Amino acid sequence: MRPSSQPTPADRDAAPRARRSRFPARSRTGEDPALRAAYRLCRRTTRRHDPAIHALVQLMPAVLRPAGWALWAAANAVDDLADGPDADAAGRAARVAAWTEALRGDLAAGTSTDPVRRALVDTALRWRLDLSGLRGAMAATRDDTRGRHFADWAEWRAWCTEEIAPWVDQVRHLFEQAGAPMTPRLDRQHDYRRFIDGAQLTDVLTDLGADLAEGRLLLPREALDACPGAEDALRQGRWSPAAAALVGTVTDLARRWVTRPALTRGMHPGAATVLDTSARLLRAQLDAVDAAGPALLERAPRPSLPTRVRILAPARLRARLAWSLTPLTVPPAPPAPRRTPATARAWEPAAEDTALRTPPPHPEGARPPRIAADRMPTHVAIIMDGNGRWAEQRGLPRSAGHRAGNVAAREMVYGALEIGLRHLTLYAFSTENWQRDTEEIAAVLEATRRELDEGPVRDLDVRQRWSGNPGKLPEELVRSLLREERRTRARTGLTLTVCLNYGGRDEITRTAAALARAARAGDVDPDLIGEDDFARHLPHPDMPDVDLLWRTGDEQRTSNFLPWQATYAELYFTPGHWPDADRRDLWQAITAYGRRRRRHGAAPLVSPRKPAVPTRPE
């Protein structure tokens, strides 16, 4: 949706001073005059369309500002094409599709004749950004031309995640590449998603009048039905009591969503300043929406100049100090425009994924059994037990057992892909494992990091995820885990979840805390909380229930592993130690699962017994 904020007289008065201000050095944008002109255009576009966004970009380190302008100008260009009143819906959709396809070609060529795309291509190559996530965002913007209707807030948030979050993620990646991560702690990911939702909802309220003029009302049916008569009044351009109640309720919700004081905890102070200031500006914008009243239907409200100065002046001082004390990583200028592997990956990990290989064959030529679809589990979870005992039996250090266990884990991935399993979850390190010897712990975590960075699973059609508590884990390992999640998120084969520093009770406790925060924020009614509400607040709410839970090592307990997801799992225990297992053992476990009859509490189906036939006496 195109931001509709217009510059105030104070902004227009400040424009000449901005043009006279020092433009980033050529080292930041290259020696190409056309490229420098492209970045200048992006900067002017950012300042003209939304001074608040421009102010936030100015809080970034100077070396990142051109990239910030390029990203925002590109997002605005796509929105302009989708929102333009000079074409019908089909024409606007075609324009967005053409711009998206042109960007694909520009990234392949390493440059563009369009100035906004030229700056974006340079930004992607210079900062090694993976722009593939923007394909879905641009497709969602294209689909917006046909109109959007949301049944409830869940559908609305899914739209926000699809269309807005990928652009915000690019800014986060910029900070990571510069060595000042903006990534929130893993236990604050829910807050991060809600913050983005709140920013988008603020934009919807700000642009309410402009959207209504175009026949759009981007609020879910759930919110509209809560204020009967509000929708009719707004579509007729009337400010009724029902319309005022609706706007007030939604404004309060947006304010709760953007107020996430713990979001920046543990974050780099410069990045935290950018996010904190963004939240303050959003709340000021919501105050302006509250104060606008009927004028909201006529023009987009804006916070007063004193309000913005009160927020931005101290933020600039904090940001300047933070960046002055931070040694940033500045990449060299990208090579001369030409198609390179980097340009292909910047837009199409599919180009990278076309090289995805199939699993290597089993050394003895074993092939997976044929399993009927109704006998095939969707989700297999494995407690990989016995690494240390396997090593001790061979007179080896326990760390050797964990290295051998990683080889067995690869075998399971190969076997899962070959038999067509959709979800595989491996228990790699529990919250209780910290009680072990320090050297053994270090060996497990380092082996996991090497597997992520170098392991052969990277080149398979495997979507990698992890589950667990980020506390205590080495920062380098967490970065590797997050990187692989991002890199493989578009893959459609096996979903592999590695549970690292995981405890089932810990997961349930943290989920309950997230649900309590949601109830306090008014997102859920405590009196109506059900199992679905709890499941939505799990770290991976899309993880299906476990069908088969397999444990090696001759132990018969579940050890605090996936207690919520494995409530109805079939349990399967084997005596062998984990390093001795290979894909054939997985296939055997799945075959055994297929022989079981799962009833989930229902009575077994019993065929009617035929009446006994009396026999004649001899």
Side-chain angles (χ1 to χ4, degrees):
M1 187 167 58
R2 181 178 65 240
S4 61
S5 303
Q6 297 299 319
T8 63
D11 296 321
R12 288 191 289 270
D13 292 342
R17 292 195 298 274
R19 285 193 290 270
R20 289 195 299 270
S21 66
R22 179 170 58 86
F23 185 77
R26 291 187 179 188
S27 62
R28 299 181 207 134
T29 57
E31 297 295 325
D32 182 356
L35 180 59
R36 294 200 304 275
Y39 276 112
R40 289 192 185 97
L41 173 64
C42 292
R43 181 183 187 180
R44 290 195 301 271
T45 300
T46 304
R47 187 178 184 89
R48 181 175 67 253
H49 279 275
D50 197 333
I53 293 292
H54 181 268
L56 289 174
V57 174
Q58 293 303 100
L59 297 179
M60 295 164 62
V63 72
L64 288 182
R65 291 172 195 165
W69 302 329
L71 284 166
W72 196 92
N76 187 72
V78 175
D79 284 341
D80 279 346
L81 293 172
D83 290 347
D86 57 334
D88 59 14
R92 297 196 302 272
R95 292 191 307 198
V96 173
W99 201 94
T100 304
E101 187 61 29
L103 177 59
R104 179 198 298 267
D106 293 341
L107 282 163
T111 188
S112 176
T113 56
D114 178 88
V116 172
R117 290 200 301 269
R118 188 185 191 103
L120 184 62
V121 168
D122 181 75
T123 289
L125 298 182
R126 184 182 301 271
W127 292 99
R128 298 184 296 280
L129 297 184
D130 175 5
L131 300 187
S132 60
L134 297 183
R135 292 181 302 173
M138 293 179 184
T141 302
R142 179 199 64 209
D143 294 342
D144 283 351
T145 59
R146 296 193 288 268
R148 287 283 188 176
H149 303 282
F150 314 103
D152 52 29
W153 283 113
E155 282 189 15
W156 187 94
R157 286 193 293 265
W159 165 68
C160 183
T161 298
E162 181 183 31
E163 184 167 307
I164 308 303
W167 293 98
V168 181
D169 285 344
Q170 293 300 324
V171 176
R172 286 202 302 115
H173 299 166
L174 274 177
F175 278 84
E176 288 177 7
Q177 294 293 75
M182 185 183 273
T183 304
R185 287 176 14 173
L186 293 182
D187 58 348
R188 311 310 304 180
Q189 290 296 316
H190 176 77
D191 284 342
Y192 172 69
R193 291 191 292 268
R194 279 292 177 271
F195 180 81
I196 294 176
D197 294 342
Q200 177 66 353
L201 188 53
T202 302
D203 195 40
V204 167
L205 289 165
T206 300
D207 293 345
L208 185 61
D211 284 339
L212 286 170
E214 297 293 331
R216 295 187 296 265
L217 182 54
L218 297 175
L219 293 174
R221 173 58 50 194
E222 178 184 350
L224 298 174
D225 288 348
C227 298
E231 180 180 9
D232 290 342
L234 289 175
R235 291 192 181 279
Q236 296 168 14
R238 292 187 295 105
W239 186 256
S240 68
L246 171 65
V247 170
T249 299
V250 175
T251 302
D252 288 343
L253 180 61
R255 189 176 284 106
R256 289 197 299 269
W257 284 354
V258 300
T259 304
R260 303 281 158 171
L263 179 60
T264 57
R265 188 177 299 158
M267 193 178 291
H268 182 281
T273 296
V274 175
L275 272 181
D276 284 339
T277 306
S278 176
R280 291 173 183 272
L281 288 172
L282 287 168
R283 288 195 292 271
Q285 181 63 40
L286 291 168
D287 291 341
V289 169
D290 261 338
L296 184 64
L297 304 183
E298 301 171 6
R299 61 183 180 276
R302 292 274 292 152
S304 67
L305 178 59
T307 297
R308 286 184 289 126
V309 169
R310 187 174 64 252
I311 293 171
L312 291 172
R316 287 171 183 149
L317 292 174
R318 290 195 302 271
R320 189 177 301 124
L321 177 61
W323 300 129
S324 69
L325 299 174
T326 304
L328 296 174
T329 302
V330 182
R338 67 179 187 276
R339 182 179 177 86
T340 66
T343 61
R345 285 194 298 271
W347 181 248
E348 308 181 60
E352 177 190 68
D353 288 353
T354 56
L356 291 177
R357 60 185 179 85
T358 57
H362 188 271
E364 299 177 13
R367 296 297 303 158
R370 294 180 179 273
I371 305 291
D374 63 342
R375 297 294 180 181
M376 183 72 184
T378 297
H379 185 186
V380 173
I382 307 177
I383 301 175
M384 306 180 294
D385 194 18
N387 289 342
R389 283 172 285 158
W390 178 91
E392 290 170 348
Q393 288 176 359
R394 289 159 176 76
L396 300 172
R398 292 176 65 88
S399 59
H402 295 300
R403 287 193 294 272
N406 279 345
V407 176
R410 294 178 204 165
E411 267 289 298
M412 294 308 139
V413 173
Y414 299 156
L417 285 168
E418 287 185 323
I419 203 171
L421 184 66
R422 302 300 300 170
H423 289 264
L424 177 65
T425 300
L426 303 179
Y427 204 4
F429 190 85
S430 75
T431 50
E432 291 76 27
N433 288 154
W434 293 105
Q435 302 173 52
R436 296 188 178 186
D437 179 75
T438 303
E439 184 177 345
E440 181 180 353
I441 292 172
V444 172
L445 299 182
E446 177 59 22
T448 302
R449 189 192 63 78
R450 283 200 307 271
E451 195 73 11
L452 289 166
D453 293 344
E454 306 165 8
V457 170
R458 301 181 85 245
D459 300 324
L460 302 174
D461 189 13
V462 176
R463 176 192 176 202
Q464 296 192 51
R465 303 195 302 187
W466 83 287
S467 187
N469 195 322
K472 294 187 179 182
L473 289 178
E475 185 177 341
E476 186 177 3
L477 174 57
V478 172
R479 284 201 298 268
S480 294
L481 291 163
L482 293 173
R483 183 200 64 227
E484 290 307 298
E485 281 196 354
R486 290 196 302 268
R487 191 180 67 83
T488 64
R489 65 183 179 273
R491 295 184 182 177
T492 58
L494 172 71
T495 295
L496 173 65
T497 304
V498 176
C499 291
L500 200 65
N501 196 25
Y502 174 89
R505 287 182 174 178
D506 174 70
E507 179 179 69
I508 288 176
T509 300
R510 289 188 292 125
T511 301
L515 191 57
R517 288 193 296 269
R520 185 175 59 192
D523 296 342
V524 295
D525 185 340
D527 294 325
L528 299 177
I529 289 176
E531 291 184 10
D532 289 344
D533 298 295
F534 189 90
R536 280 198 299 271
H537 288 80
L538 287 164
H540 294 299
D542 60 335
M543 176 184 283
D545 284 349
V546 176
D547 297 307
L548 173 63
L549 193 154
W550 168 27
R551 179 172 187 149
T552 62
D554 206 22
E555 301 286 355
Q556 298 191 14
R557 57 180 179 270
T558 58
S559 295
N560 199 23
F561 185 41
L562 300 175
W564 179 270
Q565 299 87 344
T567 302
Y568 284 101
E570 295 292 321
L571 303 181
Y572 182 77
F573 302 107
T574 54
H577 296 142
W578 176 248
D580 290 327
D582 72 8
R583 69 188 83 177
R584 292 173 298 183
D585 296 288
L586 174 66
W587 299 339
Q588 184 176 342
I590 291 175
T591 301
Y593 167 87
R595 299 193 192 105
R596 300 187 184 184
R597 297 181 64 183
R598 308 188 73 202
R599 297 192 296 271
H600 296 286
L605 296 176
V606 180
S607 301
R609 301 181 64 180
K610 295 181 180 179
V613 178
T615 58
R616 288 199 307 265
E618 294 289 333

